[in-house]
Amino acid sequence: MTTLTHRARRTEGGKNSEKKVESEEDTNQDRSQDNEDTEDSKDIRLTLMEEVLLLGLKDKEEEGKWYQKGGLRCMKEWSAKNLGYTSFWNDCISSGLRGGILIELAMRGRIYLEPPTMRKKRLLDRKVLLKSDSPTGDVLLDETLKHIKATEPTETVQTWIELLTGETWNPFKLQYQLRNVRERIAKNLVEKGILTTEKQNFLLFDMTTHPVTNTTEKQRLVKKLQDSVLERWVNDPQRMDKRTLALLVLAHSSDVLENVFSSLTDDKYDVAMNRAKDLVELDPEVEGTKHSATEMIWAVLAAFNKS
């Protein structure tokens, strides 16, 4: 599992957008994103998976052109290259996206955890149950919903994350693997006007990439998470907006949280990382039993902490 780490000293602080974001949600209706503030969602509504992938995309990489002058190696000019792909070294984002699918389905009132009993109190022991099989309109969500409906006996959150990523030794359950998830989510973001599609050459092969075109939407998302652990920090996860809490958990589990805070000044960066670390190191079993807690968020965090 990925860990939160401190960065080296930085000399520049990032520019933050002025927009403030606030949202509230009702997990019993198929309007989890409709419940966000108008200011937050009047233009584009994204799923948790789309937000995680957007945070994980590399935006630009500056390439320097050098020349020799008086024995010194000097910078002549900078050129920026649009990237639009996740880090090749990030092996956590695949499972993070699957965890996001389960949380999104729970927030839309499609699935839930079986009630605790004397024998099954722990989040990781409780099964994922179907609440409604009505379509969500999202292909990945509906495909997962179909798998959950057809599976007997029922499975736990941790098992479902493993099945959806294809990390299972049971050949009869490979049918549950969701394939080409990053590409399919990226195509959704292209359709929403946030990304575009390009071909980039990587020496020996060409790769389809999806550079960010709507930088405003990504800046809004980054600002939302930065504010949640700085200006709007409440020091109590039960008082946080549920989608923001879920996104912080998923960003940490997907190893993209560094991307969120990298534009902050050193002092703010340290505060943000420490608060985020405190948040994800809470005991999911304790937090999941509190009043108004969204159990699926804490069950997903528990699954990632165990893996």
Side-chain angles (χ1 to χ4, degrees):
M1 177 51 57
T2 180
T3 57
L4 291 166
T5 58
H6 286 276
R7 62 173 178 182
R9 295 287 297 174
R10 299 179 60 91
T11 58
E12 294 181 355
K15 292 183 179 179
N16 293 328
S17 60
E18 296 295 328
K19 257 187 178 179
K20 294 294 181 180
V21 179
E22 197 149 69
S23 58
E24 240 179 38
E25 83 155 21
D26 179 359
T27 58
N28 295 322
Q29 300 181 10
D30 182 21
R31 294 184 298 175
S32 61
Q33 291 171 325
D34 294 339
N35 293 326
E36 295 179 8
D37 251 15
T38 303
E39 183 181 8
D40 181 47
S41 60
K42 63 183 179 182
D43 295 323
I44 303 171
R45 296 188 181 118
L46 303 180
T47 64
L48 289 170
M49 308 87 72
E50 290 168 347
E51 290 178 330
V52 170
L53 184 67
L54 186 57
L55 293 173
L57 288 178
K58 296 167 70 70
D59 290 339
K60 287 185 178 180
E61 181 177 76
E62 292 183 325
E63 297 179 328
K65 296 183 180 179
W66 302 86
Y67 71 102
Q68 293 293 129
K69 182 177 180 180
L72 298 176
R73 193 163 181 253
C74 306
M75 180 63 67
K76 185 176 182 180
E77 61 178 316
W78 284 99
S79 63
K81 178 173 68 175
N82 286 327
L83 297 179
Y85 56 87
T86 55
S87 172
F88 293 125
W89 308 110
N90 189 343
D91 58 355
C92 301
I93 195 168
S94 293
S95 54
L97 292 172
R98 271 68 172 190
I101 289 174
L102 295 178
I103 295 176
E104 187 75 45
L105 284 172
M107 287 185 163
R108 295 191 182 203
R110 297 305 195 279
I111 60 174
Y112 66 102
L113 289 181
E114 66 176 336
T117 63
M118 291 300 294
R119 295 180 62 247
K120 292 184 179 181
K121 286 187 176 182
R122 294 175 64 245
L123 292 171
L124 291 179
D125 294 333
R126 293 157 61 187
K127 307 292 186 177
V128 176
L129 303 180
L130 183 70
K131 185 174 184 179
S132 169
D133 63 352
S134 59
T136 65
D138 181 277
V139 176
L140 285 172
L141 293 179
D142 290 343
E143 187 175 333
T144 303
L145 201 58
K146 181 180 178 181
H147 289 327
I148 293 175
K149 180 180 179 180
T151 301
E152 191 64 40
T154 53
E155 302 286 3
T156 63
V157 167
Q158 185 173 12
T159 300
W160 269 118
I161 292 176
E162 293 170 353
L163 291 176
L164 295 175
T165 54
E167 296 177 357
T168 175
W169 294 103
N170 188 339
F172 297 104
K173 293 193 174 183
L174 288 175
Q175 59 180 316
Y176 297 125
Q177 180 182 2
L178 297 179
R179 302 183 184 277
N180 304 316
V181 169
R182 296 189 210 188
E183 183 65 22
R184 291 158 75 181
I185 295 174
K187 287 183 177 179
N188 287 345
L189 291 171
V190 170
E191 292 176 359
K192 294 180 179 181
I194 297 175
L195 305 182
T196 187
T197 303
E198 292 182 359
K199 288 281 187 180
Q200 286 197 26
N201 180 265
F202 289 84
L203 297 179
L204 299 177
F205 62 95
D206 289 333
M207 186 175 82
T208 300
T209 60
H210 300 282
V212 177
T213 54
N214 186 342
T215 56
T216 301
E217 183 62 21
K218 183 166 184 177
Q219 289 169 358
R220 179 202 67 79
L221 184 59
V222 169
K223 182 66 162 58
K224 171 183 176 180
L225 291 185
Q226 290 178 352
D227 283 351
S228 70
V229 294
L230 292 173
E231 284 79 3
R232 296 185 176 182
W233 178 245
V234 294
N235 200 30
D236 180 3
Q238 305 307 325
R239 294 169 54 202
M240 293 180 67
D241 164 59
K242 296 300 187 290
R243 290 191 71 84
T244 302
L245 173 62
L247 190 53
L248 283 170
V249 168
L250 293 171
H252 159 68
S253 303
S254 303
D255 201 15
V256 300
L257 202 54
E258 168 72 18
N259 299 358
V260 176
F261 301 143
S262 61
S263 63
L264 294 171
T265 59
D266 288 339
D267 291 343
K268 288 186 176 182
Y269 176 90
D270 290 339
V271 172
M273 290 299 280
N274 286 332
R275 287 175 175 174
K277 180 181 179 182
D278 291 341
L279 182 65
V280 299
E281 288 183 349
L282 291 171
D283 186 349
E285 297 295 340
V286 173
E287 298 301 323
T289 60
K290 292 183 178 179
H291 177 68
S292 77
T294 302
E295 288 184 323
M296 191 63 70
I297 296 176
W298 298 106
V300 167
L301 178 59
F304 284 131
N305 286 346
K306 186 177 180 181
S307 61

